[in-house]
Structures are given as C-alpha cells and as structure tokens.
Amino acid sequence: MNTFKNILSREDVSANNQAIFDNLKKAVGFVPNLYATYAHSDTALENYLNFANAKTSLSAKEKEVVNLAVSQVNDCLYCLSAHTAIGKMNGFTEDQILELRAGYSTVNDKLDALAKLAKNITENRGKTDETVLENFFNAGYTKGNLIDTISLVGDKTISNYIHSTTQVPVDFPVAQPLELATK
C-alpha cells in the first residue's frame, strides 16, 4: 500500500498551500499532519478549511460534541486525538469527552440530544431515527441547527476518511480507548 508516513513540508506543496501552512503555523503553532495530507491536492486544503471554518449556528463547544461523536463512530484515532485536545480547550473534562465520544452527555441535556443525533446520523448514514430527531428539537434546537449539524457530520467524516485511508501519523496526544458503556 502506498502510505503517507512522510509528511509534506512547506517546500513540498504549492504556493497556495505554502501560504496556508504559514497561516496555520501562526494560528496553531504547527501544521497538523492531517492538514499536510490535504495539501497533496492543490485545492483540497483550502476548500476543507473554508468549509470547516464557515459560519454555523453551533457554538464551538457544540461543534466539538459533533466532532467527537462522529470521529468515534468512524473510528478515527487522529480526529479523536485532535478533538479530545480541542474539547479540553473548550472546557470539557476527560470524562465528559469520553461520554460525548460514546454519543451522550450526563451533565447537559441539550448536548446529550446533540451527541445522540450526531452519532445516529453517522451510524445510519443520514437515515436519522425519528425519536432521536424529535429529542433534538425538544432540547431546543432548530431546523437550522439540524442542517448545520448534518453539514458538520459531513465535514468531520471527510477528515475521518482521509485519515483512515492514509494512516498519517497522529501528532496530538493520543486519545485513550473508549471503554464506557453507551446509553
């Protein structure tokens, strides 16, 4: 199998991607390996970042709920590791992150409905269970929030699939295995 173990550096990518690498280094302090993998394409990294950073009705914390649940369903160690770190930066504890990865929350009913929805959408490839959807709306979410959640599921699935296919090395603290019973 052709692997992606050798990570592209700034010198290896197009001028457009070099500028993006420079911006990432300023904003994040480094270029995550997964983003460098996107840079094998002259357009995919910019397209992905535009999509991932687009306006949404979901808060940063809510986005992490979706990212964690989707990445767990898709078994993406890279994204689980990255979003565990980002989840902590957004105020989630380790135990809360493990729950969200399992697709629920015991500390916040609204985030519980969101985590269950994200997990269900991903597991069922968009054929969402009616009860899960009703619970989402009953928790206070809107139809706009639903569309933004589905868009975020797609966004995260793209990265999950890129990592699953390329197996690029994880450059975040590696997420622990999920051992919680799911609700």
Side-chain angles (χ1 to χ4, degrees):
M1 176 181 170
N2 187 359
T3 64
F4 287 73
K5 302 288 185 212
N6 295 327
I7 306 304
L8 293 178
S9 67
R10 186 183 186 284
E11 296 73 35
D12 300 324
V13 300
S14 68
N16 183 54
N17 283 334
Q18 286 179 355
I20 294 170
F21 276 31
D22 293 344
N23 289 335
L24 285 167
K25 280 196 174 192
K26 284 181 204 166
V28 183
F30 71 109
V31 176
N33 288 344
L34 190 65
Y35 287 177
T37 303
Y38 274 96
H40 280 278
S41 164
D42 289 341
T43 57
L45 179 58
E46 180 178 21
N47 292 341
Y48 177 75
L49 289 174
N50 285 337
F51 186 45
N53 295 317
K55 290 181 182 178
T56 179
S57 62
L58 301 175
S59 70
K61 208 166 188 170
E62 289 169 321
K63 285 175 68 172
E64 289 315 308
V65 169
V66 175
N67 290 333
L68 288 162
V70 171
S71 296
Q72 184 65 52
V73 171
N74 289 329
D75 195 28
C76 180
L77 182 60
Y78 189 98
C79 293
L80 286 169
S81 299
H83 291 288
T84 293
I86 297 167
K88 288 177 182 175
M89 292 173 14
N90 278 283
F92 289 119
T93 67
E94 188 71 37
D95 287 343
Q96 290 169 335
I97 288 169
L98 291 171
E99 285 184 356
L100 295 170
R101 286 174 51 190
Y104 69 94
S105 171
T106 59
V107 297
N108 184 304
D109 290 340
K110 193 167 183 181
L111 296 182
D112 180 62
L114 179 60
K116 286 177 178 166
L117 177 73
K119 179 181 181 183
N120 188 268
I121 288 170
T122 308
E123 286 177 335
N124 297 314
R125 293 182 277 166
K127 294 176 180 77
T128 309
D129 179 89
E130 194 68 34
T131 304
V132 173
L133 189 56
E134 185 177 318
N135 185 45
F136 176 78
F137 290 130
N138 288 340
Y141 286 106
T142 66
K143 290 178 181 177
N145 297 138
L146 173 64
I147 300 304
D148 285 344
T149 300
I150 294 168
S151 294
L152 186 54
V153 168
D155 160 351
K156 193 46 44 200
T157 298
I158 293 167
S159 287
N160 294 166
Y161 286 9
I162 286 177
H163 182 260
S164 292
T165 300
T166 65
Q167 292 296 302
V168 60
V170 177
D171 52 352
F172 288 89
V174 176
Q176 64 179 304
L178 183 63
E179 296 175 6
L180 290 178
T182 58
K183 279 188 159 183

Coordinates of all heavy atoms in Angstrom, one line a residue, residues 78-157:
Y78 N -6.9 9.7 14.7 CA -6.4 11.1 14.5 C -7.3 12.1 15.0 O -7.0 13.0 15.8 CB -6.0 11.3 13.1 CG -5.2 12.6 12.9 CD1 -3.8 12.6 12.8 CD2 -5.8 13.9 12.9 CE1 -3.1 13.8 12.7 CE2 -5.1 15.0 12.8 CZ -3.7 15.0 12.7 OH -3.0 16.1 12.6
C79 N -8.6 12.1 14.5 CA -9.6 13.1 14.8 C -10.0 13.0 16.3 O -10.3 14.0 16.9 CB -10.7 13.0 13.9 SG -10.3 13.5 12.2
L80 N -10.1 11.8 16.8 CA -10.4 11.6 18.2 C -9.3 12.3 19.1 O -9.6 13.0 20.1 CB -10.5 10.1 18.6 CG -11.8 9.5 18.1 CD1 -11.7 8.0 18.3 CD2 -13.0 10.0 18.8
S81 N -8.1 12.1 18.7 CA -7.0 12.7 19.5 C -7.0 14.2 19.3 O -6.9 15.0 20.3 CB -5.6 12.2 18.9 OG -5.6 10.8 19.1
A82 N -7.2 14.7 18.1 CA -7.2 16.2 17.9 C -8.4 16.8 18.7 O -8.2 17.8 19.3 CB -7.3 16.5 16.4
H83 N -9.6 16.2 18.5 CA -10.8 16.8 19.1 C -10.9 16.6 20.6 O -11.6 17.3 21.3 CB -12.0 16.4 18.3 CG -12.0 17.1 17.0 ND1 -12.2 18.4 16.9 CD2 -11.7 16.6 15.8 CE1 -12.1 18.7 15.6 NE2 -11.8 17.6 14.9
T84 N -10.1 15.6 21.2 CA -10.0 15.5 22.6 C -9.3 16.7 23.1 O -9.7 17.3 24.1 CB -9.3 14.1 23.0 OG1 -10.2 13.1 22.7 CG2 -9.0 14.1 24.5
A85 N -8.2 17.0 22.5 CA -7.4 18.2 22.9 C -8.2 19.5 22.7 O -8.3 20.3 23.6 CB -6.1 18.3 22.0
I86 N -8.9 19.6 21.6 CA -9.8 20.8 21.4 C -10.9 20.8 22.3 O -11.3 21.9 22.8 CB -10.2 20.9 19.9 CG1 -9.0 21.0 19.0 CG2 -11.2 22.0 19.7 CD1 -9.3 20.8 17.5
G87 N -11.5 19.7 22.6 CA -12.6 19.6 23.6 C -12.2 20.1 25.0 O -12.9 20.8 25.6
K88 N -11.0 19.7 25.4 CA -10.5 20.2 26.7 C -10.3 21.7 26.6 O -10.6 22.4 27.6 CB -9.1 19.5 27.0 CG -9.3 18.0 27.4 CD -8.0 17.4 27.6 CE -8.2 15.9 28.0 NZ -6.9 15.2 28.1
M89 N -9.8 22.2 25.5 CA -9.7 23.7 25.4 C -11.0 24.4 25.4 O -11.1 25.6 25.8 CB -9.0 24.0 24.0 CG -7.5 23.6 24.0 SD -6.6 23.8 22.4 CE -7.6 24.8 21.4
N90 N -12.1 23.7 25.1 CA -13.4 24.3 25.2 C -14.2 24.0 26.5 O -15.4 24.2 26.6 CB -14.3 23.7 24.0 CG -14.0 24.5 22.7 OD1 -14.5 25.7 22.6 ND2 -13.2 24.0 21.8
G91 N -13.4 23.4 27.4 CA -14.0 23.3 28.8 C -14.5 21.9 29.2 O -15.0 21.7 30.3
F92 N -14.4 20.9 28.3 CA -14.9 19.6 28.6 C -13.8 18.9 29.4 O -12.6 19.0 29.2 CB -15.2 18.8 27.3 CG -16.4 19.2 26.6 CD1 -16.3 19.7 25.3 CD2 -17.6 19.2 27.2 CE1 -17.4 20.1 24.6 CE2 -18.8 19.6 26.5 CZ -18.6 20.0 25.2
T93 N -14.3 18.1 30.4 CA -13.4 17.2 31.2 C -13.1 15.9 30.4 O -13.8 15.6 29.4 CB -14.0 16.9 32.5 OG1 -15.1 16.0 32.3 CG2 -14.4 18.1 33.3
E94 N -12.1 15.2 30.8 CA -11.8 13.9 30.2 C -13.1 13.0 30.2 O -13.4 12.3 29.2 CB -10.7 13.2 30.9 CG -10.1 12.0 30.2 CD -9.4 12.3 28.9 OE1 -8.7 13.3 28.8 OE2 -9.6 11.4 28.0
D95 N -13.8 12.9 31.4 CA -14.9 12.0 31.5 C -16.1 12.5 30.5 O -16.7 11.7 29.9 CB -15.5 12.0 32.9 CG -14.6 11.1 33.8 OD1 -13.7 10.3 33.3 OD2 -14.7 11.3 35.0
Q96 N -16.3 13.8 30.4 CA -17.3 14.4 29.5 C -16.9 14.0 28.1 O -17.8 13.7 27.3 CB -17.4 15.9 29.7 CG -18.0 16.2 31.0 CD -17.9 17.7 31.4 OE1 -17.1 18.4 30.9 NE2 -18.9 18.2 32.2
I97 N -15.7 14.1 27.7 CA -15.2 13.8 26.4 C -15.5 12.3 26.1 O -16.0 12.0 25.0 CB -13.7 14.2 26.2 CG1 -13.6 15.7 26.1 CG2 -13.1 13.5 24.9 CD1 -12.2 16.2 26.2
L98 N -15.2 11.5 27.0 CA -15.5 10.0 26.8 C -17.0 9.8 26.6 O -17.4 9.0 25.7 CB -15.0 9.2 27.9 CG -13.4 9.1 28.0 CD1 -13.0 8.5 29.3 CD2 -12.8 8.4 26.8
E99 N -17.8 10.5 27.4 CA -19.3 10.3 27.1 C -19.7 10.8 25.8 O -20.4 10.2 25.1 CB -20.0 11.1 28.2 CG -20.1 10.5 29.6 CD -20.9 11.3 30.5 OE1 -21.4 12.4 30.2 OE2 -21.0 10.8 31.7
L100 N -19.2 12.0 25.4 CA -19.5 12.6 24.1 C -19.1 11.6 22.9 O -19.8 11.5 22.0 CB -18.9 14.0 23.9 CG -19.5 15.0 24.9 CD1 -18.7 16.3 24.8 CD2 -21.0 15.3 24.6
R101 N -17.9 11.1 23.1 CA -17.5 10.1 22.1 C -18.4 8.9 22.0 O -18.7 8.4 20.9 CB -16.1 9.6 22.4 CG -15.0 10.6 22.2 CD -13.6 10.2 22.6 NE -13.3 8.8 22.2 CZ -12.2 8.2 22.6 NH1 -11.4 8.7 23.5 NH2 -11.9 7.0 22.2
A102 N -19.0 8.5 23.1 CA -19.9 7.4 23.1 C -21.3 7.8 22.7 O -22.2 7.0 22.5 CB -20.0 6.8 24.6
G103 N -21.5 9.1 22.5 CA -22.8 9.6 21.9 C -23.8 10.1 22.9 O -25.0 10.0 22.6
Y104 N -23.4 10.5 24.1 CA -24.3 11.0 25.1 C -23.6 12.0 26.0 O -22.4 12.1 26.1 CB -25.0 9.9 25.8 CG -24.1 9.1 26.8 CD1 -24.0 9.5 28.1 CD2 -23.3 8.0 26.3 CE1 -23.2 8.7 29.0 CE2 -22.5 7.3 27.1 CZ -22.4 7.7 28.5 OH -21.6 6.9 29.3
S105 N -24.4 12.7 26.9 CA -23.9 13.5 27.9 C -24.8 13.4 29.1 O -26.0 13.5 29.0 CB -23.8 15.0 27.5 OG -23.5 15.8 28.6
T106 N -24.2 13.1 30.3 CA -25.0 13.0 31.5 C -25.0 14.4 32.3 O -25.8 14.5 33.3 CB -24.4 12.0 32.5 OG1 -23.0 12.3 32.8 CG2 -24.5 10.6 31.9
V107 N -24.3 15.4 31.8 CA -24.3 16.6 32.5 C -25.0 17.8 31.8 O -25.3 18.8 32.4 CB -22.8 17.1 32.8 CG1 -22.1 16.1 33.7 CG2 -22.1 17.3 31.5
N108 N -25.5 17.5 30.6 CA -26.2 18.6 29.8 C -27.2 18.0 28.9 O -26.7 17.3 27.9 CB -25.1 19.5 29.1 CG -25.7 20.6 28.4 OD1 -26.6 20.5 27.6 ND2 -25.2 21.8 28.7
D109 N -28.4 18.2 29.1 CA -29.5 17.6 28.3 C -29.4 18.0 26.8 O -29.7 17.2 25.9 CB -30.9 17.9 28.9 CG -31.1 17.2 30.2 OD1 -30.4 16.2 30.5 OD2 -32.0 17.6 30.9
K110 N -29.1 19.3 26.6 CA -29.1 19.8 25.2 C -27.9 19.1 24.5 O -28.1 18.7 23.3 CB -29.0 21.3 25.2 CG -29.2 21.9 23.9 CD -29.5 23.4 23.9 CE -29.8 23.9 22.5 NZ -30.0 25.3 22.5
L111 N -26.7 19.1 25.1 CA -25.6 18.4 24.5 C -25.8 16.9 24.3 O -25.3 16.3 23.4 CB -24.3 18.7 25.2 CG -23.9 20.2 25.3 CD1 -22.6 20.4 26.0 CD2 -23.8 20.8 23.9
D112 N -26.6 16.3 25.2 CA -26.9 14.9 25.1 C -27.7 14.7 23.8 O -27.4 13.8 23.1 CB -27.7 14.5 26.3 CG -28.1 13.0 26.3 OD1 -27.2 12.2 26.3 OD2 -29.3 12.7 26.3
A113 N -28.7 15.5 23.6 CA -29.5 15.4 22.4 C -28.7 15.6 21.1 O -28.8 14.8 20.1 CB -30.7 16.4 22.4
L114 N -27.7 16.5 21.2 CA -26.8 16.8 20.0 C -25.9 15.6 19.8 O -25.7 15.1 18.6 CB -26.0 18.1 20.3 CG -25.0 18.5 19.2 CD1 -25.7 18.7 17.8 CD2 -24.3 19.7 19.6
A115 N -25.3 15.1 20.8 CA -24.4 13.9 20.7 C -25.1 12.7 20.2 O -24.6 12.0 19.3 CB -23.7 13.6 22.1
K116 N -26.3 12.5 20.7 CA -27.1 11.3 20.2 C -27.5 11.5 18.7 O -27.4 10.5 17.9 CB -28.4 11.1 21.0 CG -28.0 10.6 22.4 CD -29.3 10.4 23.3 CE -28.8 9.8 24.6 NZ -29.9 9.9 25.6
L117 N -27.8 12.7 18.3 CA -28.1 13.0 16.9 C -26.9 12.7 16.0 O -27.0 12.1 15.0 CB -28.7 14.4 16.7 CG -29.0 14.8 15.3 CD1 -30.2 14.1 14.8 CD2 -29.1 16.3 15.1
A118 N -25.8 13.3 16.4 CA -24.6 13.2 15.6 C -24.2 11.7 15.4 O -23.8 11.3 14.3 CB -23.4 14.0 16.2
K119 N -24.3 11.0 16.5 CA -23.9 9.5 16.5 C -24.9 8.8 15.6 O -24.5 8.0 14.7 CB -24.0 9.0 17.9 CG -23.7 7.5 17.9 CD -23.7 6.9 19.3 CE -23.4 5.4 19.3 NZ -23.5 4.8 20.6
N120 N -26.2 9.1 15.7 CA -27.2 8.4 14.9 C -27.1 8.7 13.4 O -27.2 7.8 12.6 CB -28.6 8.8 15.5 CG -29.7 8.0 14.9 OD1 -30.3 8.4 13.9 ND2 -30.0 6.8 15.4
I121 N -26.9 10.0 13.1 CA -26.8 10.3 11.7 C -25.6 9.6 11.1 O -25.7 9.1 10.0 CB -26.5 11.9 11.6 CG1 -27.8 12.6 11.8 CG2 -26.0 12.2 10.2 CD1 -27.7 14.1 11.9
T122 N -24.5 9.5 11.8 CA -23.3 8.9 11.3 C -23.5 7.4 11.2 O -23.1 6.8 10.1 CB -22.1 9.2 12.2 OG1 -22.0 10.7 12.4 CG2 -20.8 8.7 11.6
E123 N -24.0 6.8 12.2 CA -24.2 5.3 12.2 C -25.1 4.9 11.1 O -24.9 3.9 10.4 CB -24.7 4.8 13.5 CG -23.7 4.8 14.6 CD -24.3 4.4 16.0 OE1 -25.5 4.5 16.2 OE2 -23.5 3.9 16.8
N124 N -26.2 5.7 10.9 CA -27.2 5.4 9.9 C -27.1 6.1 8.5 O -28.0 6.0 7.7 CB -28.6 5.7 10.5 CG -28.9 4.8 11.7 OD1 -28.6 3.6 11.7 ND2 -29.3 5.5 12.8
R125 N -25.9 6.7 8.3 CA -25.6 7.4 7.1 C -26.7 8.3 6.6 O -27.1 8.3 5.5 CB -25.2 6.3 6.0 CG -23.9 5.7 6.4 CD -23.4 4.7 5.3 NE -24.1 3.5 5.6 CZ -24.2 2.5 4.7 NH1 -23.6 2.6 3.5 NH2 -24.8 1.4 5.0
G126 N -27.2 9.1 7.6 CA -28.2 10.1 7.3 C -29.7 9.6 7.4 O -30.6 10.5 7.4
K127 N -29.9 8.4 7.6 CA -31.3 7.9 7.8 C -31.6 8.0 9.3 O -31.6 7.0 10.0 CB -31.4 6.5 7.3 CG -31.2 6.4 5.8 CD -31.3 5.0 5.3 CE -31.1 4.9 3.8 NZ -29.7 5.1 3.4
T128 N -31.8 9.2 9.8 CA -31.9 9.5 11.2 C -33.1 8.9 11.8 O -34.2 9.0 11.3 CB -31.9 11.1 11.4 OG1 -30.8 11.6 10.7 CG2 -31.8 11.5 12.8
D129 N -33.0 8.4 13.0 CA -34.1 7.8 13.8 C -35.0 9.0 14.2 O -34.6 10.0 14.7 CB -33.5 7.1 15.0 CG -34.6 6.5 15.9 OD1 -35.0 5.4 15.6 OD2 -35.1 7.2 16.8
E130 N -36.3 8.8 14.0 CA -37.3 9.8 14.3 C -37.3 10.2 15.7 O -37.4 11.4 16.0 CB -38.7 9.3 13.8 CG -39.7 10.4 13.8 CD -39.5 11.4 12.6 OE1 -39.0 11.0 11.6 OE2 -39.8 12.6 12.8
T131 N -37.1 9.3 16.6 CA -37.2 9.6 18.1 C -35.9 10.5 18.4 O -36.1 11.4 19.2 CB -37.2 8.3 18.9 OG1 -38.3 7.5 18.5 CG2 -37.2 8.6 20.4
V132 N -34.8 10.2 17.9 CA -33.6 10.9 18.1 C -33.7 12.3 17.6 O -33.4 13.3 18.3 CB -32.3 10.2 17.5 CG1 -31.1 11.1 17.6 CG2 -32.1 8.9 18.1
L133 N -34.3 12.5 16.4 CA -34.6 13.8 15.8 C -35.6 14.6 16.7 O -35.3 15.8 16.9 CB -35.1 13.6 14.4 CG -35.2 14.9 13.6 CD1 -33.8 15.6 13.5 CD2 -35.6 14.5 12.2
E134 N -36.6 14.0 17.1 CA -37.6 14.6 18.0 C -37.0 15.1 19.3 O -37.2 16.2 19.7 CB -38.8 13.7 18.2 CG -39.9 14.3 19.0 CD -41.1 13.3 19.2 OE1 -41.4 12.6 18.2 OE2 -41.6 13.3 20.3
N135 N -36.1 14.3 19.9 CA -35.4 14.6 21.1 C -34.5 15.9 20.9 O -34.4 16.7 21.7 CB -34.6 13.4 21.6 CG -34.0 13.7 22.9 OD1 -34.6 14.2 23.8 ND2 -32.7 13.3 23.0
F136 N -33.9 15.9 19.7 CA -33.0 17.1 19.3 C -33.9 18.3 19.3 O -33.5 19.4 19.9 CB -32.4 16.7 18.0 CG -31.6 17.8 17.4 CD1 -30.3 18.1 17.8 CD2 -32.1 18.6 16.3 CE1 -29.5 19.0 17.2 CE2 -31.3 19.6 15.7 CZ -30.0 19.8 16.2
F137 N -35.0 18.3 18.7 CA -35.9 19.5 18.6 C -36.4 19.8 20.0 O -36.5 21.0 20.3 CB -37.0 19.3 17.5 CG -36.5 19.3 16.1 CD1 -36.8 18.3 15.3 CD2 -35.6 20.3 15.7 CE1 -36.4 18.3 13.9 CE2 -35.2 20.4 14.4 CZ -35.5 19.4 13.5
N138 N -36.8 18.8 20.7 CA -37.4 19.1 22.1 C -36.3 19.7 23.0 O -36.7 20.3 24.0 CB -37.9 17.8 22.7 CG -39.2 17.4 22.0 OD1 -39.9 18.2 21.4 ND2 -39.6 16.1 22.1
A139 N -35.1 19.5 22.7 CA -34.0 20.0 23.5 C -33.8 21.5 23.2 O -33.0 22.2 23.9 CB -32.7 19.3 23.3
G140 N -34.4 22.0 22.2 CA -34.3 23.5 21.9 C -33.6 23.8 20.6 O -33.4 25.0 20.3
Y141 N -33.2 22.8 19.9 CA -32.5 23.0 18.6 C -33.6 23.3 17.5 O -34.7 22.9 17.6 CB -31.7 21.8 18.2 CG -30.4 21.7 19.1 CD1 -30.3 20.8 20.1 CD2 -29.3 22.6 18.8 CE1 -29.1 20.7 20.8 CE2 -28.2 22.5 19.6 CZ -28.1 21.6 20.6 OH -26.9 21.5 21.3
T142 N -33.1 24.0 16.5 CA -34.0 24.4 15.4 C -33.6 23.6 14.1 O -32.6 22.8 14.1 CB -33.7 25.9 15.0 OG1 -32.4 26.0 14.5 CG2 -33.9 26.8 16.3
K143 N -34.5 23.8 13.1 CA -34.2 23.1 11.8 C -32.8 23.6 11.2 O -32.1 22.9 10.6 CB -35.3 23.4 10.8 CG -36.6 22.7 11.2 CD -37.7 23.0 10.2 CE -39.0 22.2 10.7 NZ -40.1 22.6 9.8
G144 N -32.5 24.9 11.5 CA -31.2 25.4 11.0 C -30.1 24.7 11.7 O -29.1 24.4 11.1
N145 N -30.3 24.5 13.0 CA -29.2 23.7 13.8 C -29.1 22.3 13.2 O -28.0 21.8 13.2 CB -29.6 23.6 15.3 CG -29.7 24.9 16.0 OD1 -30.6 25.1 16.8 ND2 -28.8 25.9 15.8
L146 N -30.2 21.7 12.8 CA -30.1 20.4 12.2 C -29.3 20.4 11.0 O -28.4 19.5 10.8 CB -31.5 19.8 11.9 CG -31.6 18.5 11.2 CD1 -31.0 17.4 12.0 CD2 -33.0 18.2 10.8
I147 N -29.5 21.3 10.1 CA -28.8 21.4 8.8 C -27.3 21.7 9.1 O -26.4 21.0 8.5 CB -29.4 22.5 7.9 CG1 -30.8 22.2 7.5 CG2 -28.5 22.6 6.6 CD1 -31.1 20.8 6.9
D148 N -27.0 22.6 10.1 CA -25.6 22.8 10.4 C -25.0 21.6 11.0 O -23.8 21.3 10.8 CB -25.5 24.0 11.4 CG -25.7 25.3 10.7 OD1 -25.6 25.4 9.4 OD2 -26.0 26.3 11.4
T149 N -25.7 20.8 11.8 CA -25.2 19.6 12.4 C -24.8 18.6 11.3 O -23.8 18.0 11.3 CB -26.1 19.0 13.4 OG1 -26.4 19.9 14.5 CG2 -25.6 17.7 14.0
I150 N -25.8 18.4 10.4 CA -25.5 17.5 9.3 C -24.3 17.9 8.4 O -23.5 17.1 8.1 CB -26.8 17.3 8.4 CG1 -27.9 16.7 9.2 CG2 -26.5 16.5 7.1 CD1 -29.3 16.7 8.5
S151 N -24.2 19.2 8.2 CA -23.0 19.7 7.5 C -21.7 19.4 8.2 O -20.7 19.0 7.6 CB -23.1 21.2 7.3 OG -24.2 21.5 6.4
L152 N -21.8 19.5 9.6 CA -20.6 19.3 10.4 C -20.3 17.8 10.4 O -19.1 17.4 10.4 CB -20.8 19.8 11.8 CG -19.6 19.7 12.7 CD1 -18.3 20.4 12.1 CD2 -19.9 20.3 14.1
V153 N -21.3 16.9 10.4 CA -21.1 15.5 10.3 C -20.3 15.2 9.0 O -19.3 14.4 9.0 CB -22.4 14.7 10.3 CG1 -22.2 13.2 9.9 CG2 -23.0 14.8 11.7
G154 N -20.7 15.8 7.9 CA -20.0 15.6 6.6 C -18.6 16.1 6.6 O -17.7 15.4 6.2
D155 N -18.4 17.3 7.2 CA -17.1 17.9 7.4 C -16.2 16.9 8.1 O -15.0 16.6 7.7 CB -17.2 19.2 8.1 CG -16.0 19.8 8.8 OD1 -15.0 19.2 8.8 OD2 -16.1 21.0 9.2
K156 N -16.6 16.4 9.2 CA -15.7 15.6 10.0 C -15.5 14.2 9.4 O -14.5 13.7 9.5 CB -16.4 15.4 11.4 CG -15.4 14.8 12.5 CD -14.0 15.3 12.5 CE -13.9 16.8 12.4 NZ -12.6 17.3 12.0
T157 N -16.5 13.7 8.7 CA -16.4 12.4 8.0 C -15.3 12.5 6.9 O -14.6 11.5 6.8 CB -17.8 12.0 7.4 OG1 -18.7 11.9 8.5 CG2 -17.7 10.7 6.7

